[in-house]
Amino acid sequence: MRAFLASSIGVVCTAALALPLTLNPPPARADRAAGADPAGGTQSLPLLPLGGGGLNRGAVMSSGPVQGVAPRSVRPFSLVGVVWDDASARLRGQVQVRTRAADTGAWSAWRDLEALDDDAPDPDSSEGGGTRRRGGTTPLWVGDSDGVQARVRPSGGSRLLAAQPARLPSGLRLELVDPGRAPATLSRSLTTDPSSEPGFESSSSEDPAASAEAPGDPEYPSAPPELQQPPEPEPSRPASDPGTQPPRELPAEPPDTSAARPHTAPRPRIVTRAGWGADEKLREKGHRYTKTVKVAFVHHTVTGNAYSCSQAPSIMRSIYRYHVQSMKWRDFGYNFAVDKCGNIYEGRSGGVTKAVQGAHTRGFNTNSMGIAVIGTYSSKKPAAKAVKAVAKLTAWKLGLFGKNPRGTTHLKSAGGNRYKKGTKAKLRVISGHRDGYNTECPGAGLYGKLGTVRSTAARLQGR
């Protein structure tokens, strides 16, 4: 996910990129409240050429005309991304945004958005109607905001006048997502960042709207009936598949003997889609399933770390709306998400115990599941509670399909930049996104914790 984009913006040589931020002062708080839609929504602003055009020095230095949005006031939003018309078109440029905080009127620094070409449906998938899909960047969570500025500078080419400048994709637009209000059941809220909550260990770390596995436990009250995950029959354990056995040259990876000696783990508490407020009218009807779950791919959302866990449901609603309405996917891309307090969220609909096909690892969305840790972990290490939650989730879900968290298996590639279409790739049962696609995801900080996830998950399965 995520080719690394340098945070340094270098020397800007065109007056178009230095537009004064005193334009469009923030509206009164009452006006902002009046402009907010309780149900949420998306504002779509076209990116237009900045500056006077022609072969001025600024345009030459940037290898082509810069497109963007001049600083302006907008209706309230909390998540921002950039999309373009053709999902197959690659963005050869640097995307940057800055936003204005609704409460203080202060503008943020410029922040980079990375091209989202790897957390995606498979190339031949009918996901989202196929040809309707858009290209886009990873979305960025910015909190309650009411002003925005954006710019996209083409990369490549040369500073020579005769050079052919890089072309930007057609239909570039800025997407500003308002998550809307949280469900009433979330008024009791999830906990905030555990580092700021000394009493977190002794209090409920879960949303009361989550499906409880221990209804008699007073520390974790049961969810209201309308928000509990409906009971589903657990899938029958598949017969031993010789093709999924790890090769002998990997003695450190124990063979999967679960068919002969089943290993399961307790189901963790999961905040349902109703619990985080998913609007089921947004997604496509119906569900798509695959035969089994052989691999759990771990991701990071790259939405930033400046959030409290009480905001996580709003982030979920924002990503959901961005995936479906802005990117034109059929549903939330990941099967599950985990916040930094260790709360687990149902992502794509279709049943948490089932092999639901997601849109998370380009080329390997069949017979796998995607788990996204909310945040950016390119260098920052994830919270211990998040790592433990991923281990609990993988131990339980992989156990339903007889998979050893410390084992290896094979998946057939549907096409990507790491494995060509038709390649039978050998993968760890718990893999990072980068194991299936050439990407930085899930970030060095999170990828370095996958060994702990595997060993903990195996222990929870009784191995």
Side-chain angles (χ1 to χ4, degrees), residues 11-269:
V11 178
V12 177
C13 299
T14 174
L17 297 186
L19 294 171
L21 298 182
T22 55
L23 297 177
N24 301 313
R29 183 175 298 275
D31 292 337
R32 289 200 299 271
D37 184 348
T42 301
Q43 303 170 72
S44 186
L45 307 178
L47 271 65
L48 303 175
L50 296 177
L55 294 177
N56 59 50
R57 183 167 178 262
V60 174
M61 291 290 284
S62 64
S63 299
V66 176
Q67 295 185 33
V69 172
R72 59 182 292 179
S73 296
V74 292
R75 297 193 305 276
F77 71 98
S78 296
L79 181 135
V80 58
V82 170
V83 300
W84 51 91
D85 291 340
D86 185 359
S88 65
R90 292 293 171 259
L91 177 65
R92 295 178 174 86
Q94 185 180 39
V95 183
Q96 294 181 315
V97 297
R98 64 189 313 176
T99 56
R100 186 178 63 202
D103 56 349
T104 66
W107 285 85
S108 71
W110 286 104
R111 287 175 282 189
D112 294 326
L113 300 182
E114 305 173 15
L116 181 63
D117 59 358
D118 45 7
D119 284 9
D122 293 334
D124 296 334
S125 169
S126 60
E127 174 96 4
T131 57
R132 294 195 303 113
R133 291 200 305 267
R134 292 172 176 164
T137 68
T138 56
L140 177 69
W141 174 260
V142 294
D144 189 15
S145 303
D146 61 10
V148 70
Q149 182 180 6
R151 62 191 182 198
V152 182
R153 299 189 298 164
S155 61
S158 168
R159 297 184 181 184
L160 300 177
L161 291 176
Q164 178 68 34
R167 287 192 174 186
L168 295 174
S170 62
L172 283 167
R173 60 184 68 84
L174 189 68
E175 300 286 286
L176 307 176
V177 182
D178 173 11
R181 294 178 183 172
T185 51
L186 287 178
S187 61
R188 288 173 285 180
S189 191
L190 303 174
T191 61
T192 54
D193 187 341
S195 63
S196 62
E197 294 289 330
F200 180 75
E201 291 289 353
S202 60
S203 62
S204 173
S205 63
E206 306 287 348
D207 178 10
S211 55
E213 288 305 303
D217 185 348
E219 187 178 352
Y220 298 100
S222 298
E226 66 274 15
L227 295 184
Q228 290 189 35
Q229 184 70 45
E232 302 166 352
E234 297 193 351
S236 59
R237 204 170 301 280
S240 179
D241 179 3
T244 65
Q245 301 303 313
R248 294 183 180 179
E249 67 268 25
L250 292 176
E253 300 295 341
D256 187 349
T257 60
S258 55
R261 184 168 51 86
H263 291 271
T264 59
R267 172 173 162 169
R269 293 171 42 79

Side-chain angles (χ1 to χ4, degrees), residues 238-328:
S240 179
D241 179 3
T244 65
Q245 301 303 313
R248 294 183 180 179
E249 67 268 25
L250 292 176
E253 300 295 341
D256 187 349
T257 60
S258 55
R261 184 168 51 86
H263 291 271
T264 59
R267 172 173 162 169
R269 293 171 42 79
I270 300 172
V271 180
T272 66
R273 287 171 62 92
W276 55 261
D279 182 351
E280 301 298 348
K281 296 188 297 295
L282 295 180
R283 65 175 179 84
E284 289 185 9
K285 294 182 180 179
H287 304 94
R288 293 190 176 97
Y289 299 94
T290 59
K291 293 181 179 180
T292 185
V293 176
K294 299 170 69 175
V295 175
F297 285 104
V298 179
H299 305 250
H300 62 166
T301 60
V302 202
T303 46
N305 301 315
Y307 73 93
S308 65
C309 293
S310 61
Q311 293 175 312
S314 294
I315 297 176
M316 293 290 294
R317 294 195 302 277
S318 297
I319 295 175
Y320 173 46
R321 192 175 287 271
Y322 185 77
H323 283 179
V324 174
Q325 294 190 317
S326 300
M327 301 291 290
K328 301 301 182 183

Side-chain angles (χ1 to χ4, degrees), residues 391-415:
K392 288 181 177 180
L393 177 58
T394 52
W396 166 70
K397 185 64 179 279
L398 293 172
L400 297 181
F401 294 90
K403 298 305 174 190
N404 183 346
R406 286 191 290 212
T408 58
T409 188
H410 293 83
L411 287 180
K412 185 178 180 180
S413 173

